[in-house]
PDB file of all heavy atoms in Angstrom:
ATOM      1  N   LEU A  39     261.584  51.771 134.624  1.00 96.00           N
ATOM      2  CA  LEU A  39     260.646  51.323 135.645  1.00 96.00           C
ATOM      3  C   LEU A  39     259.274  51.045 135.046  1.00 96.00           C
ATOM      4  O   LEU A  39     258.628  50.049 135.383  1.00 96.00           O
ATOM      5  CB  LEU A  39     260.529  52.374 136.751  1.00 96.00           C
ATOM      6  CG  LEU A  39     261.678  52.430 137.753  1.00 96.00           C
ATOM      7  CD1 LEU A  39     261.565  53.672 138.629  1.00 96.00           C
ATOM      8  CD2 LEU A  39     261.693  51.183 138.629  1.00 96.00           C
ATOM      9  N   GLU A  42     259.604  47.681 133.241  1.00 95.00           N
ATOM     10  CA  GLU A  42     259.999  46.483 133.971  1.00 95.00           C
ATOM     11  C   GLU A  42     259.180  46.208 135.239  1.00 95.00           C
ATOM     12  O   GLU A  42     259.116  45.067 135.697  1.00 95.00           O
ATOM     13  CB  GLU A  42     261.484  46.585 134.379  1.00 95.00           C
ATOM     14  CG  GLU A  42     262.452  46.787 133.217  1.00 95.00           C
ATOM     15  CD  GLU A  42     262.554  45.565 132.324  1.00 95.00           C
ATOM     16  OE1 GLU A  42     262.176  44.464 132.782  1.00 95.00           O
ATOM     17  OE2 GLU A  42     263.032  45.717 131.186  1.00 95.00           O
ATOM     18  N   GLU A  48     251.631  51.493 137.364  1.00 94.00           N
ATOM     19  CA  GLU A  48     250.241  51.783 137.667  1.00 94.00           C
ATOM     20  C   GLU A  48     250.064  52.863 138.735  1.00 94.00           C
ATOM     21  O   GLU A  48     248.940  53.190 139.111  1.00 94.00           O
ATOM     22  CB  GLU A  48     249.533  50.491 138.087  1.00 94.00           C
ATOM     23  CG  GLU A  48     249.478  49.466 136.957  1.00 94.00           C
ATOM     24  CD  GLU A  48     248.894  48.135 137.388  1.00 94.00           C
ATOM     25  OE1 GLU A  48     248.428  48.053 138.546  1.00 94.00           O
ATOM     26  OE2 GLU A  48     248.908  47.194 136.586  1.00 94.00           O
ATOM     27  N   ARG A  56     257.522  59.562 144.511  1.00 97.00           N
ATOM     28  CA  ARG A  56     257.923  59.048 145.825  1.00 97.00           C
ATOM     29  C   ARG A  56     258.624  57.701 145.696  1.00 97.00           C
ATOM     30  O   ARG A  56     259.604  57.426 146.408  1.00 97.00           O
ATOM     31  CB  ARG A  56     256.695  58.927 146.743  1.00 97.00           C
ATOM     32  CG  ARG A  56     257.059  58.496 148.164  1.00 97.00           C
ATOM     33  CD  ARG A  56     255.913  58.747 149.130  1.00 97.00           C
ATOM     34  NE  ARG A  56     254.787  57.874 148.878  1.00 97.00           N
ATOM     35  CZ  ARG A  56     254.708  56.625 149.346  1.00 97.00           C
ATOM     36  NH1 ARG A  56     255.699  56.104 150.063  1.00 97.00           N
ATOM     37  NH2 ARG A  56     253.637  55.898 149.104  1.00 97.00           N
ATOM     38  N   THR A  69     274.583  48.463 148.817  1.00 97.00           N
ATOM     39  CA  THR A  69     275.405  48.108 147.661  1.00 97.00           C
ATOM     40  C   THR A  69     274.813  46.879 146.974  1.00 97.00           C
ATOM     41  O   THR A  69     274.396  45.936 147.640  1.00 97.00           O
ATOM     42  CB  THR A  69     276.849  47.793 148.099  1.00 97.00           C
ATOM     43  OG1 THR A  69     277.373  48.928 148.791  1.00 97.00           O
ATOM     44  CG2 THR A  69     277.722  47.469 146.903  1.00 97.00           C
ATOM     45  N   ILE A  75     279.471  37.750 137.833  1.00 95.00           N
ATOM     46  CA  ILE A  75     278.604  38.081 136.701  1.00 95.00           C
ATOM     47  C   ILE A  75     278.541  39.598 136.555  1.00 95.00           C
ATOM     48  O   ILE A  75     278.766  40.336 137.510  1.00 95.00           O
ATOM     49  CB  ILE A  75     277.159  37.543 136.871  1.00 95.00           C
ATOM     50  CG1 ILE A  75     276.552  38.004 138.197  1.00 95.00           C
ATOM     51  CG2 ILE A  75     277.117  36.031 136.748  1.00 95.00           C
ATOM     52  CD1 ILE A  75     275.080  37.676 138.344  1.00 95.00           C
ATOM     53  N   ASN A 103     268.524  46.914 158.335  1.00 91.00           N
ATOM     54  CA  ASN A 103     269.206  45.650 158.616  1.00 91.00           C
ATOM     55  C   ASN A 103     269.823  45.025 157.361  1.00 91.00           C
ATOM     56  O   ASN A 103     269.927  43.810 157.260  1.00 91.00           O
ATOM     57  CB  ASN A 103     268.247  44.660 159.288  1.00 91.00           C
ATOM     58  CG  ASN A 103     266.922  44.505 158.545  1.00 91.00           C
ATOM     59  OD1 ASN A 103     266.689  45.140 157.513  1.00 91.00           O
ATOM     60  ND2 ASN A 103     266.050  43.641 159.056  1.00 91.00           N
ATOM     61  N   ASN A 137     275.678  38.375 158.160  1.00 84.00           N
ATOM     62  CA  ASN A 137     274.641  39.284 158.629  1.00 84.00           C
ATOM     63  C   ASN A 137     274.622  40.562 157.797  1.00 84.00           C
ATOM     64  O   ASN A 137     275.660  41.049 157.362  1.00 84.00           O
ATOM     65  CB  ASN A 137     274.899  39.628 160.102  1.00 84.00           C
ATOM     66  CG  ASN A 137     273.747  40.385 160.716  1.00 84.00           C
ATOM     67  OD1 ASN A 137     272.588  40.143 160.401  1.00 84.00           O
ATOM     68  ND2 ASN A 137     274.058  41.316 161.607  1.00 84.00           N
ATOM     69  N   LEU A 144     269.963  35.920 140.161  1.00 97.00           N
ATOM     70  CA  LEU A 144     269.609  36.958 139.190  1.00 97.00           C
ATOM     71  C   LEU A 144     268.522  36.497 138.224  1.00 97.00           C
ATOM     72  O   LEU A 144     267.565  37.249 137.967  1.00 97.00           O
ATOM     73  CB  LEU A 144     270.850  37.431 138.434  1.00 97.00           C
ATOM     74  CG  LEU A 144     270.626  38.526 137.394  1.00 97.00           C
ATOM     75  CD1 LEU A 144     269.944  39.746 138.000  1.00 97.00           C
ATOM     76  CD2 LEU A 144     271.944  38.927 136.736  1.00 97.00           C
ATOM     77  N   LEU A 195     243.828  33.426 160.015  1.00 96.00           N
ATOM     78  CA  LEU A 195     243.770  33.236 158.563  1.00 96.00           C
ATOM     79  C   LEU A 195     244.992  32.477 158.055  1.00 96.00           C
ATOM     80  O   LEU A 195     244.880  31.616 157.181  1.00 96.00           O
ATOM     81  CB  LEU A 195     243.686  34.598 157.864  1.00 96.00           C
ATOM     82  CG  LEU A 195     242.324  35.276 157.822  1.00 96.00           C
ATOM     83  CD1 LEU A 195     242.435  36.638 157.175  1.00 96.00           C
ATOM     84  CD2 LEU A 195     241.314  34.423 157.054  1.00 96.00           C
ATOM     85  N   GLY A 214     254.806  27.980 151.231  1.00 96.00           N
ATOM     86  CA  GLY A 214     254.246  28.780 152.304  1.00 96.00           C
ATOM     87  C   GLY A 214     253.745  27.965 153.478  1.00 96.00           C
ATOM     88  O   GLY A 214     253.544  28.500 154.577  1.00 96.00           O
ATOM     89  N   TYR A 244     243.411  38.983 151.482  1.00 97.00           N
ATOM     90  CA  TYR A 244     243.759  40.208 150.766  1.00 97.00           C
ATOM     91  C   TYR A 244     243.362  41.437 151.589  1.00 97.00           C
ATOM     92  O   TYR A 244     244.145  42.384 151.735  1.00 97.00           O
ATOM     93  CB  TYR A 244     243.078  40.251 149.401  1.00 97.00           C
ATOM     94  CG  TYR A 244     243.429  41.488 148.600  1.00 97.00           C
ATOM     95  CD1 TYR A 244     244.502  41.475 147.711  1.00 97.00           C
ATOM     96  CD2 TYR A 244     242.705  42.673 148.747  1.00 97.00           C
ATOM     97  CE1 TYR A 244     244.842  42.606 146.985  1.00 97.00           C
ATOM     98  CE2 TYR A 244     243.042  43.809 148.031  1.00 97.00           C
ATOM     99  CZ  TYR A 244     244.108  43.771 147.152  1.00 97.00           C
ATOM    100  OH  TYR A 244     244.443  44.902 146.452  1.00 97.00           O
ATOM    101  N   TYR A 251     249.775  46.198 155.144  1.00 96.00           N
ATOM    102  CA  TYR A 251     250.746  46.940 154.328  1.00 96.00           C
ATOM    103  C   TYR A 251     250.316  48.383 154.051  1.00 96.00           C
ATOM    104  O   TYR A 251     251.064  49.133 153.418  1.00 96.00           O
ATOM    105  CB  TYR A 251     250.993  46.206 153.011  1.00 96.00           C
ATOM    106  CG  TYR A 251     251.900  45.012 153.151  1.00 96.00           C
ATOM    107  CD1 TYR A 251     251.419  43.718 152.959  1.00 96.00           C
ATOM    108  CD2 TYR A 251     253.239  45.163 153.464  1.00 96.00           C
ATOM    109  CE1 TYR A 251     252.260  42.620 153.093  1.00 96.00           C
ATOM    110  CE2 TYR A 251     254.088  44.079 153.597  1.00 96.00           C
ATOM    111  CZ  TYR A 251     253.580  42.812 153.400  1.00 96.00           C
ATOM    112  OH  TYR A 251     254.417  41.719 153.532  1.00 96.00           O
TER     113      TYR A 251
END
Side-chain angles (χ1 to χ4, degrees):
L39 283 169
E42 303 291 341
E48 296 175 6
R56 184 165 69 83
T69 303
I75 54 172
N103 50 0
N137 189 36
L144 181 55
L195 280 177
Y244 181 92
Y251 283 113

